[in-house]
Amino acid sequence: QIELSAEEEAALARRRQLAEAFGIADPDNRPSSFAASSATQFSSDVLALARRDPDFVRLVESQLQQFVLSASAPNVARRPMRHSLPSSACRMHRKLCHEVAESFGLTTHSFGSGADRHVDCFYNSNSGVPSTRLSDAMLVEPSALEESDASTQGAAVEKFEMRFCDVENVRGLRGMLREWEVALNPVDGRTSDRYVALFSTKRDLEQAQSRFGAGVRGIFRVEHASPAPPPPTTTTVGLPAMSLDEVCGLTGRKPV
């Protein structure tokens, strides 16, 4: 049983009160209207882990939201810059801690051993409260995501591509891309130091180009930024019927 703070209990009670007012049953397990788009920002493996312990995901998100808001508060003399998440000997929980922290733009590091091993999160200039939440994305059924992928498969949607090379800090790069809500994928497998991001609009791409320039020392270099090539299309051209004499006239050969 996960213990909640007084603020977390109050937020949960408020959520259930609103759900009752609008006639929504089981609000903690009902995806919002933004859940489907949120789910595309996380891998299927991470979503599967989150579904195994949804209460833990919500607890971590609640703690990190309070931490980020406190760390970014103006006119505060001693703002917290580091937060320790609950200790856990379970690798699954620590994996979820890293993933949720990444969505908040925080850098993370594991400390301790055994039952005392825990993940510490560090605030930086790229940190903030995300618009896409793992707690929302995990409520989307896998079958719904598969149907969404199938419905868009083969559609010629223009994307704007930005490639990165010499990536030394993937989490840092993801945090810097967070405001555009783009997926960042390795080019040559999981061990690659080259990644590609696809922007939905040219304006977003141009903003990222202006922000990053040639790259950020110690994190990445920008390799390429341009509209992604459209998917190949096959066009069948119908030829008019031609007589043998016409064919021979075009080829310069005489009929045999």
Short mmCIF file of all heavy atoms in Angstrom, two decimals, residues 14 34 59-60 71 110 130 135 149 153 159 190 198 201 228 233 241 248:
data_model
loop_
_atom_site.label_atom_id
_atom_site.label_comp_id
_atom_site.label_asym_id
_atom_site.label_seq_id
_atom_site.Cartn_x
_atom_site.Cartn_y
_atom_site.Cartn_z
N ARG A 14 -10.40 15.50 -4.81
CA ARG A 14 -10.94 16.49 -5.75
C ARG A 14 -11.24 15.84 -7.10
O ARG A 14 -12.28 16.10 -7.71
CB ARG A 14 -9.94 17.63 -5.92
CG ARG A 14 -10.31 18.68 -6.96
CD ARG A 14 -11.58 19.40 -6.61
NE ARG A 14 -11.87 20.47 -7.55
CZ ARG A 14 -13.02 21.11 -7.63
NH1 ARG A 14 -14.00 20.80 -6.80
NH2 ARG A 14 -13.20 22.07 -8.51
N PHE A 34 -6.45 13.41 -24.12
CA PHE A 34 -5.08 13.56 -24.60
C PHE A 34 -4.26 12.29 -24.43
O PHE A 34 -3.07 12.28 -24.74
CB PHE A 34 -4.38 14.70 -23.83
CG PHE A 34 -5.07 16.03 -23.96
CD1 PHE A 34 -5.86 16.50 -22.93
CD2 PHE A 34 -4.93 16.80 -25.10
CE1 PHE A 34 -6.50 17.73 -23.04
CE2 PHE A 34 -5.56 18.02 -25.22
CZ PHE A 34 -6.35 18.49 -24.19
N LEU A 59 2.21 8.25 -7.97
CA LEU A 59 2.94 8.77 -6.83
C LEU A 59 4.20 9.52 -7.27
O LEU A 59 4.47 10.63 -6.81
CB LEU A 59 3.33 7.62 -5.90
CG LEU A 59 4.26 7.98 -4.73
CD1 LEU A 59 3.57 8.93 -3.77
CD2 LEU A 59 4.73 6.72 -4.01
N VAL A 60 4.96 8.92 -8.17
CA VAL A 60 6.19 9.55 -8.66
C VAL A 60 5.87 10.85 -9.39
O VAL A 60 6.54 11.88 -9.18
CB VAL A 60 6.96 8.58 -9.58
CG1 VAL A 60 8.13 9.29 -10.25
CG2 VAL A 60 7.46 7.38 -8.79
N ALA A 71 11.10 24.11 -7.34
CA ALA A 71 12.42 24.48 -7.84
C ALA A 71 12.37 25.65 -8.81
O ALA A 71 13.36 26.37 -8.97
CB ALA A 71 13.09 23.27 -8.50
N SER A 110 21.07 6.85 -9.98
CA SER A 110 20.72 5.89 -8.93
C SER A 110 21.82 5.85 -7.87
O SER A 110 23.00 5.85 -8.18
CB SER A 110 20.52 4.50 -9.52
OG SER A 110 19.41 4.49 -10.41
N PRO A 130 5.35 18.38 -17.61
CA PRO A 130 5.06 17.97 -18.99
C PRO A 130 3.57 18.02 -19.32
O PRO A 130 2.71 17.92 -18.44
CB PRO A 130 5.57 16.52 -19.02
CG PRO A 130 5.36 16.04 -17.62
CD PRO A 130 5.64 17.23 -16.73
N SER A 135 1.05 8.53 -16.62
CA SER A 135 -0.16 8.06 -15.93
C SER A 135 -1.38 8.13 -16.83
O SER A 135 -2.34 7.38 -16.64
CB SER A 135 -0.39 8.89 -14.67
OG SER A 135 -0.56 10.26 -14.99
N ASP A 149 -2.24 3.14 -35.30
CA ASP A 149 -1.11 2.98 -36.21
C ASP A 149 -1.57 2.45 -37.56
O ASP A 149 -1.10 2.88 -38.61
CB ASP A 149 -0.08 2.02 -35.61
CG ASP A 149 0.62 2.63 -34.42
OD1 ASP A 149 0.57 3.87 -34.29
OD2 ASP A 149 1.19 1.88 -33.61
N GLN A 153 -1.24 4.15 -41.32
CA GLN A 153 -0.20 3.51 -42.12
C GLN A 153 -0.46 3.74 -43.61
O GLN A 153 -1.55 3.57 -44.10
CB GLN A 153 -0.17 2.01 -41.82
CG GLN A 153 1.02 1.30 -42.45
CD GLN A 153 1.08 -0.15 -42.01
OE1 GLN A 153 0.12 -0.68 -41.48
NE2 GLN A 153 2.21 -0.78 -42.25
N LYS A 159 6.51 15.18 -42.82
CA LYS A 159 7.22 15.36 -41.57
C LYS A 159 8.52 16.10 -41.85
O LYS A 159 9.06 16.03 -42.95
CB LYS A 159 7.51 14.02 -40.91
CG LYS A 159 6.28 13.28 -40.39
CD LYS A 159 5.73 13.93 -39.15
CE LYS A 159 4.58 13.12 -38.57
NZ LYS A 159 4.04 13.74 -37.34
N ARG A 190 19.82 0.48 -30.93
CA ARG A 190 19.83 1.04 -29.59
C ARG A 190 21.19 1.59 -29.17
O ARG A 190 21.28 2.46 -28.33
CB ARG A 190 19.37 -0.02 -28.59
CG ARG A 190 17.90 -0.43 -28.77
CD ARG A 190 17.47 -1.38 -27.67
NE ARG A 190 16.06 -1.73 -27.80
CZ ARG A 190 15.42 -2.53 -26.95
NH1 ARG A 190 16.06 -3.04 -25.92
NH2 ARG A 190 14.15 -2.81 -27.13
N LEU A 198 11.35 13.76 -35.72
CA LEU A 198 10.43 14.18 -36.78
C LEU A 198 9.46 15.21 -36.23
O LEU A 198 8.69 14.93 -35.31
CB LEU A 198 9.66 12.97 -37.34
CG LEU A 198 10.49 11.93 -38.08
CD1 LEU A 198 9.62 10.79 -38.56
CD2 LEU A 198 11.23 12.57 -39.26
N THR A 201 5.51 20.19 -38.02
CA THR A 201 5.38 21.41 -38.83
C THR A 201 6.76 22.00 -39.13
O THR A 201 7.72 21.80 -38.37
CB THR A 201 4.53 22.48 -38.12
OG1 THR A 201 5.24 22.96 -36.97
CG2 THR A 201 3.18 21.92 -37.70
N ALA A 228 11.52 15.58 -44.36
CA ALA A 228 11.75 14.16 -44.60
C ALA A 228 11.21 13.78 -45.97
O ALA A 228 10.19 14.31 -46.42
CB ALA A 228 11.08 13.32 -43.52
N THR A 233 5.81 6.24 -53.91
CA THR A 233 4.51 5.91 -54.49
C THR A 233 4.71 5.25 -55.83
O THR A 233 5.69 5.51 -56.53
CB THR A 233 3.65 7.18 -54.68
OG1 THR A 233 4.36 8.11 -55.50
CG2 THR A 233 3.37 7.84 -53.33
N ALA A 241 -3.36 2.04 -77.15
CA ALA A 241 -3.16 0.87 -78.01
C ALA A 241 -2.46 1.29 -79.30
O ALA A 241 -2.78 2.33 -79.89
CB ALA A 241 -4.52 0.24 -78.34
N CYS A 248 6.78 -0.26 -84.95
CA CYS A 248 7.97 -0.34 -85.79
C CYS A 248 8.46 1.04 -86.19
O CYS A 248 9.64 1.30 -86.32
CB CYS A 248 7.68 -1.18 -87.04
SG CYS A 248 7.37 -2.93 -86.66
#
